[in-house]
Amino acid sequence: MIVDCAIYRDGRRIERPADFAVALDEARASGHAFVWIGLHEASPAEFDRVSQEFGLHPLAVEDALKAHQRPKLEVYDDSLFVVLKPVVYEARSDKVSTGELMIFLGDSFVVTVRHGEGAPLKAVRKRLEDDPEFLAHGPTAVLYSIADATVDHYLEVAAELQTDLEELEAEVFSPDGGGSRDTAARIYTFKRQILEFRRATGPLAMPMARLSGVGPWGTAGVPFVSADAQPFFRDVNDHLTRVNESVDGLDRLVSDILSAHLAQMSVRQNDDMRKISAWAAMAAVPTMIAGIYGMNFDHMPELHWVWTYPAVILVMAVLEVLLYRQFKRRGWL
């Protein structure tokens, strides 16, 4: 559905147009205005009308309708198509989920299409409307503000994940060694959350580098985006680089924690096996002696001695004490 639609002239909202085509013609005629339409999971019929009025490329329209796209930037003849993946962190379940945000930029228009939750569009629009001087820069200001808000939220999510990882690390290296049965499952689930986060942040590096004019793109501009905005996009790109470095660090650390947990489990199992072996060896001595004297032969030494029984019990006890001390000294018990 269409969430919002407005004409902005010199950075100020002037009206909600009744017809897209008329609004676009008015914006282009004035020279200092643009139309911003926001859609949320629009139906094919709704989006078909918007795409026809604004001349959006069919391939970009298909991507916007089907969603499930990687972050990217594509340039068409009449528009620029940008895909972002906002991230939502659910504190109660410690779960990372992603939405999708498609942005069409063209001559005097911006069309935003939102799928799922987490897109900062409402807050961005409100902030821009409160700053007409900045919004007067047109569609470029909208694209920058959306990208900046999205990447800044990445930093917040990365900080939350870092806190969760520290708690998980403390549990694994606690005195009981993370002995809970679900510890390994929790570590693996956390690694899956990091992977979901990486899918949103990693592919965005190239589009941001292109918008900021760094790397192989040099000073080359992007159509429909003001070249004067490159320093602002470089700031967004710097924040994104920090996020990606943080994600890489989290991924390496959680892999190390998982390896440490598995090593602890292996050591604990070895300790258990040594204890079992020690107790089995201690049980074997009296079993052997009792087995010898339980063979029921008539002609066996010491069978008719008065002190045979207490002597055998004493021998068993002495051997058990000696074995226990030996195993204790070696750390098996």
Side-chain angles (χ1 to χ4, degrees), residues 1-3 39-44 46 64-65 113-117:
M1 64 178 180
I2 298 176
V3 178
L39 301 97
H40 179 220
E41 297 181 354
S43 65
E46 289 177 324
L65 284 174
V113 185
R114 176 166 61 92
H115 293 269
E117 302 299 328

Side-chain angles (χ1 to χ4, degrees), residues 157-167 169 190 246 249-250 253:
V157 173
E160 293 286 351
L161 289 174
Q162 180 67 42
T163 301
D164 287 348
L165 184 58
E166 290 173 357
E167 294 176 356
E169 184 179 19
F190 191 88
S246 178
L250 289 172
L253 187 55

Side-chain angles (χ1 to χ4, degrees), residues 85-88 96-100 115-118 154 196-197 199-200:
K85 293 183 76 69
V87 173
V88 176
V96 172
S97 59
T98 57
E100 290 194 39
H115 293 269
E117 302 299 328
Y154 288 165
E196 184 71 16
F197 193 23
R199 288 173 178 168

Side-chain angles (χ1 to χ4, degrees), residues 37-237:
I37 299 176
L39 301 97
H40 179 220
E41 297 181 354
S43 65
E46 289 177 324
F47 203 79
D48 183 63
R49 180 188 171 197
V50 175
S51 63
Q52 289 182 1
E53 295 291 355
F54 290 89
L56 305 181
H57 197 279
L59 292 176
V61 171
E62 182 181 0
D63 289 345
L65 284 174
K66 292 184 177 180
H68 304 294
Q69 303 296 315
R70 300 173 74 248
K72 62 181 179 178
L73 183 153
E74 294 182 353
V75 178
Y76 297 100
D77 293 336
D78 299 322
S79 63
L80 179 72
F81 181 55
V82 180
V83 179
L84 303 175
K85 293 183 76 69
V87 173
V88 176
Y89 176 80
E90 300 174 8
R92 293 184 178 179
S93 59
D94 295 337
K95 182 179 179 182
V96 172
S97 59
T98 57
E100 290 194 39
L101 179 58
M102 286 78 169
I103 307 169
F104 294 87
L105 258 72
D107 183 13
S108 301
F109 73 84
V110 178
V111 177
T112 54
V113 185
R114 176 166 61 92
H115 293 269
E117 302 299 328
L121 290 179
K122 185 176 180 180
V124 168
R125 189 187 286 261
K126 177 66 169 57
R127 187 168 65 251
L128 287 173
E129 290 179 353
D130 291 339
D131 188 3
E133 184 177 352
F134 186 77
L135 187 55
H137 291 88
T140 300
V142 176
L143 177 60
Y144 161 74
S145 297
I146 294 174
D148 183 56
T150 301
V151 174
D152 283 349
H153 189 61
Y154 288 165
L155 290 170
E156 297 175 7
V157 173
E160 293 286 351
L161 289 174
Q162 180 67 42
T163 301
D164 287 348
L165 184 58
E166 290 173 357
E167 294 176 356
L168 188 59
E169 184 179 19
E171 177 183 336
V172 170
F173 293 102
S174 61
D176 63 353
S180 176
R181 292 184 177 181
D182 63 346
T183 300
R186 286 188 58 199
I187 297 174
Y188 183 75
T189 300
F190 191 88
K191 193 172 181 65
R192 293 286 302 175
Q193 303 307 313
I194 294 176
L195 177 61
E196 184 71 16
F197 193 23
R198 186 196 293 274
R199 288 173 178 168
T201 64
L204 187 58
M206 185 175 292
M208 284 298 106
R210 188 172 179 183
L211 287 168
S212 58
V214 300
W217 294 277
T219 58
V222 177
F224 308 108
V225 176
S226 173
D228 295 336
Q230 285 188 349
F232 295 91
F233 283 109
R234 279 199 291 272
D235 181 67
V236 177
N237 189 52

Side-chain angles (χ1 to χ4, degrees), residues 8 15 50 65 67 92 196 202 232 262 270 285 295 309 322:
Y8 296 90
E15 61 181 304
V50 175
L65 284 174
R92 293 184 178 179
E196 184 71 16
F232 295 91
L262 295 177
N270 289 338
V285 172
M295 291 187 292
Y309 177 76
L322 292 175

